[in-house]
Amino acid sequence: IGAIQLGSFAMADRYTYIPSVGIFIMAAWGAAEITSRWRYRKIFLGIAASLVLTGLLITTRAQVRCWQNSISLFKHALAVTGSNTFMQDNLAFEFQSENKVGEAVKLYREMIRLRPNNFRAYNHLAWYEATQRDPNISNPAEAMAMAVRACEITEYNEPYCLDTLAAAYASNDKFSEAAATAEKAEKLAESAGNKKLAEEVR
């Protein structure tokens, strides 16, 4: 019933299932009891049931549109929750997976505006500005500043951020710094047991 928070979310529609059982029992049995002596009981209950089902059909159809894909779902979540960096991060990830990097970059900028210490947003933005060839996205100088900020927030202990900083150094033709930073990222990844990341850095 959501009395104890599980994970990073505080509420979810599915938490209403069990608490609603009593309400539905009251509604079903209560309606039967109240209308037990009505002359046109069956007609009234039939019409009421039809109206309820029609309402559910309409609302279900509207809700299903939000679940067409992950992008439509996260866009809807943002529309109803406002400034929500968690949903923005999810939506940005989906944009990335569909190669809509420009849209993802816009979201990362907005995330930084909303939460100036969001190292993930700095890190992702720096990565794209350092690695993309699109002139509308590529920005080596800013990539360096963003990557440094991500590393500062994580106190240079996050291998993903160091990997991005290495890419930022390389995009600014600072290859010796890039190599040294990449080596540090590799060592941190290995010490954390993240062999996949260590291999990617290599």
Side-chain angles (χ1 to χ4, degrees):
I1 62 175
I4 299 174
Q5 184 171 336
L6 300 174
S8 59
F9 43 86
M11 62 185 72
D13 290 346
R14 62 183 177 276
Y15 290 169
T16 64
Y17 296 164
I18 294 176
S20 297
V21 169
I23 296 173
F24 292 140
I25 290 174
M26 285 169 31
W29 292 357
E33 182 68 24
I34 291 170
T35 62
S36 61
R37 297 182 182 179
W38 288 16
R39 183 175 179 183
Y40 300 105
R41 176 175 180 266
K42 290 184 178 180
I43 295 174
F44 171 80
L45 291 177
I47 293 172
S50 297
L51 290 174
V52 169
L53 289 173
T54 300
L56 291 173
L57 177 63
I58 292 171
T59 54
T60 298
R61 185 175 181 183
Q63 191 68 15
V64 165
R65 290 174 182 168
C66 303
W67 291 82
Q68 290 178 356
N69 53 55
S70 295
I71 289 179
S72 64
L73 175 62
F74 295 139
K75 279 185 174 180
H76 173 70
L78 280 172
V80 298
T81 60
S83 300
N84 185 330
T85 55
F86 182 73
M87 284 297 111
Q88 287 174 325
D89 196 22
N90 287 333
L91 181 56
F93 179 81
E94 293 302 324
F95 279 139
Q96 293 172 44
S97 65
E98 295 195 7
N99 293 319
K100 296 179 180 179
V101 178
E103 295 296 324
V105 165
K106 291 178 185 176
L107 283 170
Y108 290 131
R109 291 191 184 281
E110 178 64 10
M111 288 168 65
I112 290 171
R113 187 186 70 81
L114 293 172
R115 290 180 57 191
N117 288 326
N118 189 329
F119 77 91
R120 287 172 55 85
Y122 283 107
N123 187 62
H124 288 306
L125 182 57
W127 177 264
Y128 285 116
E129 289 181 334
T131 61
Q132 288 291 308
R133 295 182 179 179
D134 185 341
N136 296 318
I137 298 172
S138 177
N139 189 336
E142 187 174 80
M144 177 69 71
M146 294 291 173
V148 168
R149 182 61 185 137
C151 288
E152 288 175 346
I153 295 171
T154 57
E155 299 180 344
Y156 289 84
N157 288 319
E158 174 55 62
Y160 285 104
C161 294
L162 287 169
D163 185 34
T164 299
L165 180 58
Y169 275 130
S171 70
N172 285 276
D173 297 330
K174 297 182 177 182
F175 299 110
S176 60
E177 292 93 333
T181 304
E183 285 180 7
K184 185 176 180 181
E186 179 188 356
K187 290 177 181 177
L188 279 174
E190 286 182 339
S191 64
N194 193 338
K195 294 181 179 180
K196 181 180 179 181
L197 176 59
E199 181 62 31
E200 289 175 357
V201 173
R202 277 194 291 273

